Amino acid sequence: MADTAEIVLEVKNLDISFRSAGETVHAIRGVNLILRRGETVALVGESGSGKSVTMKAAMGILADNAKINGGSILYRPEPGAEPVDLLTADPAWVRKNIRGRSIAMVFQDPMTSLNPTMTIGAQLVAAIRAHETVSRKEARDRALNLLAEVGITEPERRMRRYPHEFSGGMRQRIVIAIALSCNPNLLICDEPTTALDVTIQDHILELIVSLQEKRGLSVIYITHDLGVVARVADYVNVMYAGKIIETGTIIDVFYDPRHPYTWGLLSAIPDTESGDTLYSIPGTPPVLTKEPVGDAFAPRNPYALEIDFKEEPPMFKISETHAAATWLLDERAPRVPRPEALEARIQKMRKEAADYVR
Amino acid sequence: MSDEKKKLLDVQDLTMRFGQNTVVRKISFHINEGETYGLVGESGSGKSTIGKCIIGLNKPSSGTIRFGNEVLKPGQNVREIQMIFQDPMASLNPRKKVSDIVGAGLDIHKLCKTPQERSERIGTMLERVGLSRDQGERYPSQFSGGQRQRVGIARALIMNPRLIIADECIAALDASIQAQVVNLIRQIQLETGTSFLFISHDLSMVRYLSDRIGVLHRGFLLETGTPDELFSHPVHPYTRNLLASKPSPNPIVQLRPETRYDYETSGIVYENGTWHTVDGSETHQVLCTDMEFEKWGLGK
Ligand SMILES: Nc1ncnc2c1ncn2[C@@H]1O[C@H](COP(=O)(O)OP(=O)(O)OP(=O)(O)O)[C@@H](O)[C@H]1O
Ligand SMILES: Nc1ncnc2c1ncn2[C@@H]1O[C@H](COP(=O)(O)OP(=O)(O)OP(=O)(O)O)[C@@H](O)[C@H]1O
Ligand SMILES: [Mg+2]
Ligand SMILES: [Mg+2]
């Protein structure tokens, strides 16, 4: 079934490196990604694999030591409009019309996006009035509503408080409220609910889903929580060492993962019923100051073939929606089954799903 | 049996007010040597505030905190207690190199004789938390979220403290690295007998690590017990609510947390509760009235 909704964001061959301490870190090595209107694309993967940097590039807020070596980020500000390349567009125009208005981002570290010297109320009102001409009173009412919507109790009292007077999870929710305050067209959430308990998290996810239904909001969701991915996303991209190594619908990736890194990631989800040591993928990710030879995951991959150490695998197409970059998918490769424990888990999930549907 | 264990930390009637707002209410718990105590509760329930009282960043309004044989003065900071903070960026000095951040405690307390020893200890610690030695030359802003979190972990571990307060220290990590850190904590505990206060909103992670768990809500400790006790026989409605399913990584089966506990309409008044022992177990206790205890099916 081909997805025909209009493309809102398309990242093509994005390539970024950082200069630091006399070295070059090649952090993003050719990322491709498509997001369609009203849909949610999740970005998951190893810590340090480049998820935040990819999205910061779209927002035009990369660190000073970043260098964009190539690629484009095409963004369609409204339905039917011509896409603009955010990497070559006038930065002043992006600042005025796109960032924090058409595209809002919830950052991973909430303290970095809050001003410690301003009350929360003042920050919310300022955010609302920066993009819309509304009276102070109306902005205040909207701010109160938003705080209540993200589950902050006694919003009147809380409006007069400073960021440090809130708990970690409350700060996270305030940042979400600020992002939503400008009615964005595209919302980028970077680990927005890591500090939240199940009930509040569910409430926030519901809020985002309802905005998608009401306003056709499109969402990029960066998270390590695969339960959340399964709950909110339509598509998922798995990143490793600056590349997307597997992409597909959530059904493709959760029920039929193909890349050995994805296998490791899924195997590491704690299973509430079983054993007491948690599975972790052995070894450490490559340091991208040296260009990896072959598949960047090969040194940690128990299923690596000889060619994995020599040549980088291309994206192999598995179906209309599903693709993965591993030589195991080459027609010449031996058939390698998934690890037993993971296969058992997948079978169990499939069975649960069958029972559930029935 | 429990008499043999030595109490390392003993918190009695800890209360913390910010202005009119009381956020921690007469909390008592203790942590034995080599033990991990898990503190769980929803956002805003007072978990970080308790941690900050113990390391002296908050001055408690009342109550006592005893560490070893010493009663800590309000605001007193002890080297043997280290905290891994929830918000890594806010707690790492952006102008310092990561190796100097991790080594700060060593420097302050002059714990290394030679620069070689210092850089060796820092390098080893960075590797233990899954970072590379070279990365010590970088600044915090040049790290990803999860990498920063691990810098905070390394900074605490390098001091060989007797008690580590770990505040949501794995929340921002992917499952594989979470497992790596959890396994690291276990290993350190085996090697050094360090005690942990492990703060988290996620009961399933706390379960893996804790010997005992305390459930916190609105500044009240409501129920305590071993992981087995809390998982197989949760008594307080709030605890049961916390156990409600996390989103499962199964795209078709989406079980949402169905029971929503609402304090306002629950009819429970935490102030009226007293401690009740569940099933005659010394470790499993719940805060409630006699009537509630009976209603929840436990009174005789
Ligand atoms: N300003 C910078 N200078 C040098 N290196 C950087 C800089 N910013 C990011 N990096 C590096 O780029 C890589 C990708 O970082 P990014 O923040 O995108 O990771 P991530 O996938 O979001 O990880 P996490 O899940 O831990 O947040 C990391 O190895 C990081 O250390
Ligand atoms: N310095 C402060 N001044 C005023 N109020 C504060 C201060 N620190 C914390 N609070 C309040 O105390 C309450 C408990 O906060 P705390 O940070 O302990 O929560 P938490 O359980 O750690 O939550 P989270 O899981 O969201 O981090 C919150 O209502 C918070 O607003
Ligand atoms: Mg990140
Ligand atoms: Mg906290």
Side-chain angles (χ1 to χ4, degrees):
Chain A
M1 198 176 43
D3 196 335
T4 54
E6 183 183 53
I7 295 178
V8 174
L9 187 79
E10 180 167 16
V11 178
K12 282 185 179 165
N13 296 320
L14 186 65
D15 191 301
I16 298 173
S17 48
F18 292 100
R19 287 288 304 166
S20 87
E23 289 177 324
T24 304
V25 181
H26 196 180
I28 306 295
R29 306 182 304 127
V31 164
N32 292 288
L33 183 149
I34 286 181
L35 169 67
R36 291 171 191 272
R37 190 163 309 282
E39 297 187 342
T40 299
V41 167
L43 210 48
V44 304
E46 180 109 351
S47 173
S49 59
K51 307 180 293 292
S52 300
V53 169
T54 301
M55 286 304 130
K56 283 181 182 169
M59 290 287 279
I61 47 165
L62 287 171
D64 294 341
N65 63 334
K67 182 166 174 285
I68 298 172
N69 306 314
S72 57
I73 299 182
L74 300 177
Y75 172 64
R76 201 187 301 270
E78 51 208 281
E82 273 304 303
V84 214
D85 183 354
L86 295 175
L87 294 182
T88 54
D90 173 18
W93 178 82
V94 172
R95 203 176 320 125
K96 184 158 177 291
N97 299 290
I98 304 295
R99 192 188 315 156
R101 177 173 197 156
S102 182
I103 309 182
M105 180 154 174
V106 175
F107 292 93
Q108 191 165 9
D109 219 326
M111 257 333 228
T112 52
S113 37
L114 292 172
N115 180 340
T117 64
M118 259 168 95
T119 64
I120 291 303
Q123 295 189 49
L124 265 165
V125 167
I128 294 168
R129 303 217 330 162
H131 301 296
E132 255 178 279
T133 32
V134 291
S135 71
R136 192 163 285 281
K137 162 98 178 50
E138 195 187 329
R140 217 187 100 82
D141 289 343
R142 283 244 300 267
L144 280 171
N145 269 335
L146 274 165
L147 283 180
E149 274 199 283
V150 295
I152 303 280
T153 51
E154 303 178 75
E156 270 100 0
R157 185 168 70 80
R158 297 285 189 176
M159 289 273 277
R160 294 191 299 272
R161 302 263 170 246
Y162 292 88
H164 76 270
E165 297 177 286
F166 290 84
S167 78
M170 289 170 170
R171 286 200 283 260
Q172 236 173 12
R173 286 178 275 157
I174 289 163
V175 173
I176 294 172
I178 292 177
L180 295 177
S181 73
C182 58
N183 288 340
N185 173 48
L186 165 60
L187 177 67
I188 302 172
C189 294
D190 195 349
E191 303 281 10
T193 60
T194 41
L196 302 180
D197 45 281
V198 193
T199 339
I200 298 268
Q201 171 176 286
D202 185 68
H203 179 82
I204 300 277
L205 299 182
E206 272 301 285
L207 178 65
I208 295 175
V209 170
S210 78
L211 289 176
Q212 287 191 284
E213 283 162 6
K214 253 190 272 171
R215 297 211 305 252
L217 177 71
S218 315
V219 181
I220 302 252
Y221 210 103
I222 303 178
T223 179
H224 67 267
D225 188 334
L226 297 170
V228 170
V229 174
R231 166 110 157 74
V232 300
D234 300 295
Y235 297 91
V236 52
N237 295 285
V238 185
M239 266 188 101
Y240 188 81
K243 283 208 155 157
I244 287 170
I245 51 93
E246 183 153 4
T247 177
T249 65
I250 48 172
I251 304 282
D252 293 334
V253 175
F254 284 92
Y255 291 154
D256 187 20
R258 297 299 186 96
H259 197 288
Y261 173 69
T262 314
W263 296 350
L265 200 63
L266 292 172
S267 304
I269 302 172
D271 185 338
T272 26
E273 286 150 40
S274 74
D276 64 354
T277 344
L278 300 172
Y279 175 77
S280 99
I281 302 169
T284 48
V287 179
L288 293 172
T289 44
K290 283 196 296 284
E291 215 46 53
V293 181
D295 181 352
F297 188 58
R300 303 170 72 186
N301 181 3
Y303 309 97
L305 309 170
E306 217 170 295
I307 186 168
D308 279 302
F309 294 92
K310 294 184 186 137
E311 213 177 309
E312 180 145 54
M315 267 292 193
F316 287 93
K317 198 166 163 180
I318 301 153
S319 73
E320 207 45 55
T321 51
H322 193 186
T326 165
W327 284 116
L328 292 179
L329 292 173
D330 190 280
E331 56 189 16
R332 288 160 296 181
R335 269 193 49 79
V336 174
R338 283 186 276 260
E340 250 170 64
L342 178 63
E343 192 57 45
R345 194 186 273 201
I346 291 173
Q347 292 310 332
K348 197 174 134 216
M349 283 194 336
R350 284 202 172 134
K351 189 171 171 306
E352 277 168 10
D355 294 348
Y356 182 78
V357 172
R358 208 180 322 125
Chain B
M1 196 184 98
S2 62
D3 310 274
E4 291 168 26
K5 292 184 192 153
K6 276 186 62 190
K7 278 185 191 173
L8 179 66
L9 180 82
D10 194 5
V11 174
Q12 287 296 332
D13 295 327
L14 180 69
T15 297
M16 183 75 214
R17 276 186 292 274
F18 292 106
Q20 305 282 40
N21 206 4
T22 309
V23 302
V24 175
R25 294 161 183 266
K26 293 196 86 169
I27 295 269
S28 302
F29 67 98
H30 70 273
I31 307 180
N32 293 323
E33 278 180 0
E35 191 183 44
T36 298
Y37 189 87
L39 197 55
V40 288
E42 69 178 24
S43 176
S45 56
K47 304 179 297 293
S48 300
T49 302
I50 293 175
K52 288 182 192 164
C53 286
I54 297 170
I55 58 154
L57 274 181
N58 282 335
K59 288 189 178 170
S61 310
S62 63
T64 56
I65 300 171
R66 184 184 283 275
F67 183 68
N69 297 322
E70 192 183 359
V71 175
L72 303 184
K73 292 186 262 315
Q76 185 183 348
N77 171 262
V78 191
R79 194 224 296 175
E80 281 143 338
I81 310 179
Q82 292 289 326
M83 182 152 170
I84 303 166
F85 293 93
Q86 180 168 13
D87 207 332
M89 205 44 194
S91 71
L92 304 179
N93 184 339
R95 275 179 291 277
K96 278 184 141 186
K97 272 195 225 161
V98 156
S99 57
D100 292 329
I101 292 175
V102 172
L106 298 178
D107 301 340
I108 294 167
H109 299 284
K110 301 202 171 49
L111 297 178
C112 294
K113 293 194 188 64
T114 63
Q116 287 86 331
E117 185 193 345
R118 178 179 179 274
S119 74
E120 181 53 33
R121 277 178 72 172
I122 294 170
T124 314
M125 193 40 80
L126 287 174
E127 280 175 355
R128 283 197 89 168
V129 297
L131 296 171
S132 70
R133 280 169 191 255
D134 302 345
Q135 285 175 317
E137 295 307 302
R138 296 209 221 149
Y139 295 88
S141 67
Q142 305 179 336
F143 282 79
S144 78
Q147 289 165 341
R148 275 176 214 155
Q149 193 113 43
R150 284 176 274 162
V151 171
I153 296 171
R155 174 176 64 178
L157 290 181
I158 203 165
M159 297 303 289
N160 290 328
R162 291 169 70 196
L163 173 65
I164 294 180
I165 302 171
D167 192 355
E168 299 282 9
C169 76
I170 54 171
L173 305 176
D174 63 78
S176 171
I177 306 237
Q178 270 191 2
Q180 194 184 328
V181 171
V182 165
N183 294 335
L184 174 69
I185 289 179
R186 283 226 187 102
Q187 198 189 335
I188 284 174
Q189 208 155 28
L190 279 177
E191 286 165 19
T192 61
T194 310
S195 305
F196 278 85
L197 175 60
F198 195 83
I199 297 175
S200 175
H201 64 277
D202 181 350
L203 207 46
S204 63
M205 260 304 154
V206 172
R207 173 186 197 178
Y208 275 100
L209 282 164
S210 309
D211 299 297
R212 287 179 301 125
I213 295 173
V215 177
L216 196 70
H217 191 218
R218 299 174 145 246
F220 286 90
L221 202 55
L222 294 182
E223 183 164 357
T224 70
T226 63
D228 277 352
E229 284 165 346
L230 290 194
F231 274 83
S232 60
H233 191 188
V235 173
H236 201 287
Y238 180 70
T239 311
R240 278 189 255 145
N241 175 71
L242 260 192
L243 288 168
S245 59
K246 286 215 298 184
S248 76
N250 189 341
I252 293 176
V253 188
Q254 278 305 313
L255 303 170
R256 299 194 27 216
E258 65 297 342
T259 45
R260 294 226 175 162
Y261 174 83
D262 182 10
Y263 179 69
E264 311 294 343
T265 57
S266 68
I268 304 174
V269 181
Y270 293 162
E271 277 89 345
N272 297 343
T274 55
W275 284 101
H276 289 73
T277 300
V278 181
D279 298 336
S281 160
E282 192 190 327
T283 43
H284 195 178
Q285 310 243 341
V286 60
L287 185 78
C288 57
T289 62
D290 294 348
M291 240 168 77
E292 281 158 358
F293 196 61
E294 209 155 311
K295 191 165 113 205
W296 299 338
L298 293 156
K300 295 224 186 68

Short mmCIF file of all heavy atoms in Angstrom, two decimals, chain B residues 49-70:
data_model
loop_
_atom_site.label_atom_id
_atom_site.label_comp_id
_atom_site.label_asym_id
_atom_site.label_seq_id
_atom_site.Cartn_x
_atom_site.Cartn_y
_atom_site.Cartn_z
N THR B 49 14.09 16.02 45.35
CA THR B 49 14.22 16.84 46.55
C THR B 49 14.82 16.02 47.69
O THR B 49 15.70 16.50 48.41
CB THR B 49 12.83 17.40 46.95
OG1 THR B 49 12.32 18.14 45.84
CG2 THR B 49 12.93 18.29 48.16
N ILE B 50 14.39 14.79 47.85
CA ILE B 50 14.94 13.92 48.90
C ILE B 50 16.43 13.70 48.65
O ILE B 50 17.26 13.83 49.55
CB ILE B 50 14.18 12.57 48.94
CG1 ILE B 50 12.74 12.81 49.41
CG2 ILE B 50 14.89 11.57 49.86
CD1 ILE B 50 11.86 11.56 49.37
N GLY B 51 16.79 13.39 47.40
CA GLY B 51 18.20 13.18 47.06
C GLY B 51 19.03 14.41 47.39
O GLY B 51 20.11 14.32 47.97
N LYS B 52 18.50 15.58 47.03
CA LYS B 52 19.25 16.82 47.26
C LYS B 52 19.37 17.14 48.75
O LYS B 52 20.33 17.79 49.17
CB LYS B 52 18.59 17.97 46.52
CG LYS B 52 18.79 17.88 45.01
CD LYS B 52 18.16 19.09 44.34
CE LYS B 52 18.07 18.92 42.84
NZ LYS B 52 17.12 19.90 42.27
N CYS B 53 18.40 16.72 49.55
CA CYS B 53 18.52 16.89 51.01
C CYS B 53 19.68 16.05 51.53
O CYS B 53 20.45 16.48 52.39
CB CYS B 53 17.24 16.47 51.73
SG CYS B 53 15.88 17.65 51.55
N ILE B 54 19.81 14.84 50.98
CA ILE B 54 20.84 13.93 51.50
C ILE B 54 22.25 14.42 51.16
O ILE B 54 23.16 14.29 51.96
CB ILE B 54 20.60 12.49 50.99
CG1 ILE B 54 19.26 11.98 51.50
CG2 ILE B 54 21.73 11.56 51.43
CD1 ILE B 54 18.80 10.67 50.87
N ILE B 55 22.43 15.01 49.97
CA ILE B 55 23.78 15.50 49.67
C ILE B 55 23.98 16.96 50.09
O ILE B 55 25.02 17.55 49.81
CB ILE B 55 24.18 15.37 48.19
CG1 ILE B 55 23.20 16.11 47.30
CG2 ILE B 55 24.35 13.94 47.75
CD1 ILE B 55 23.87 16.54 46.01
N GLY B 56 22.99 17.54 50.74
CA GLY B 56 23.19 18.88 51.28
C GLY B 56 22.91 20.02 50.33
O GLY B 56 23.26 21.15 50.61
N LEU B 57 22.26 19.73 49.20
CA LEU B 57 21.90 20.82 48.28
C LEU B 57 20.60 21.49 48.70
O LEU B 57 20.32 22.63 48.34
CB LEU B 57 21.75 20.30 46.85
CG LEU B 57 23.02 20.22 46.03
CD1 LEU B 57 22.71 19.71 44.64
CD2 LEU B 57 23.70 21.58 45.95
N ASN B 58 19.77 20.77 49.42
CA ASN B 58 18.57 21.35 50.04
C ASN B 58 18.75 21.27 51.54
O ASN B 58 19.27 20.27 52.04
CB ASN B 58 17.31 20.54 49.70
CG ASN B 58 16.80 20.83 48.30
OD1 ASN B 58 17.03 21.89 47.74
ND2 ASN B 58 16.08 19.86 47.74
N LYS B 59 18.31 22.31 52.25
CA LYS B 59 18.33 22.22 53.71
C LYS B 59 16.96 21.78 54.18
O LYS B 59 15.99 22.51 54.03
CB LYS B 59 18.66 23.59 54.31
CG LYS B 59 20.10 23.97 54.12
CD LYS B 59 20.45 25.22 54.91
CE LYS B 59 21.92 25.54 54.72
NZ LYS B 59 22.30 26.83 55.24
N PRO B 60 16.88 20.57 54.77
CA PRO B 60 15.57 20.07 55.17
C PRO B 60 14.92 21.00 56.19
O PRO B 60 15.61 21.64 56.98
CB PRO B 60 15.90 18.73 55.84
CG PRO B 60 17.27 18.38 55.43
CD PRO B 60 17.96 19.64 55.06
N SER B 61 13.58 21.08 56.13
CA SER B 61 12.86 21.90 57.10
C SER B 61 12.87 21.23 58.46
O SER B 61 12.93 21.88 59.48
CB SER B 61 11.42 22.13 56.63
OG SER B 61 11.43 22.57 55.29
N SER B 62 12.77 19.90 58.47
CA SER B 62 12.92 19.17 59.73
C SER B 62 13.26 17.72 59.43
O SER B 62 13.23 17.28 58.29
CB SER B 62 11.64 19.27 60.57
OG SER B 62 10.57 18.66 59.88
N GLY B 63 13.58 16.99 60.48
CA GLY B 63 13.96 15.59 60.31
C GLY B 63 15.46 15.41 60.44
O GLY B 63 16.21 16.38 60.46
N THR B 64 15.90 14.15 60.55
CA THR B 64 17.33 13.91 60.67
C THR B 64 17.81 12.95 59.59
O THR B 64 17.09 12.07 59.14
CB THR B 64 17.70 13.25 62.02
OG1 THR B 64 16.94 12.05 62.14
CG2 THR B 64 17.43 14.16 63.18
N ILE B 65 19.05 13.16 59.17
CA ILE B 65 19.68 12.27 58.21
C ILE B 65 20.98 11.79 58.86
O ILE B 65 21.85 12.59 59.18
CB ILE B 65 20.01 13.01 56.90
CG1 ILE B 65 18.73 13.55 56.26
CG2 ILE B 65 20.73 12.07 55.93
CD1 ILE B 65 18.96 14.46 55.08
N ARG B 66 21.06 10.49 59.09
CA ARG B 66 22.25 9.93 59.71
C ARG B 66 23.02 9.15 58.65
O ARG B 66 22.43 8.35 57.90
CB ARG B 66 21.81 9.01 60.85
CG ARG B 66 22.94 8.42 61.67
CD ARG B 66 22.37 7.45 62.69
NE ARG B 66 21.77 8.14 63.83
CZ ARG B 66 22.47 8.56 64.88
NH1 ARG B 66 23.77 8.37 64.95
NH2 ARG B 66 21.86 9.17 65.87
N PHE B 67 24.33 9.41 58.57
CA PHE B 67 25.17 8.68 57.61
C PHE B 67 26.28 8.00 58.39
O PHE B 67 27.09 8.67 59.03
CB PHE B 67 25.75 9.65 56.57
CG PHE B 67 26.57 8.97 55.52
CD1 PHE B 67 25.97 8.12 54.59
CD2 PHE B 67 27.95 9.16 55.45
CE1 PHE B 67 26.73 7.49 53.62
CE2 PHE B 67 28.71 8.53 54.48
CZ PHE B 67 28.09 7.70 53.57
N GLY B 68 26.31 6.68 58.38
CA GLY B 68 27.25 5.97 59.25
C GLY B 68 26.93 6.34 60.69
O GLY B 68 25.79 6.23 61.12
N ASN B 69 27.91 6.86 61.40
CA ASN B 69 27.67 7.22 62.80
C ASN B 69 27.38 8.69 62.99
O ASN B 69 27.25 9.17 64.10
CB ASN B 69 28.90 6.85 63.64
CG ASN B 69 29.13 5.35 63.62
OD1 ASN B 69 28.16 4.58 63.65
ND2 ASN B 69 30.39 4.95 63.52
N GLU B 70 27.31 9.39 61.86
CA GLU B 70 27.27 10.84 61.95
C GLU B 70 25.87 11.35 61.61
O GLU B 70 25.25 10.88 60.66
CB GLU B 70 28.28 11.38 60.92
CG GLU B 70 28.60 12.82 61.02
CD GLU B 70 29.55 13.23 59.89
OE1 GLU B 70 29.95 12.37 59.07
OE2 GLU B 70 29.88 14.41 59.81
#
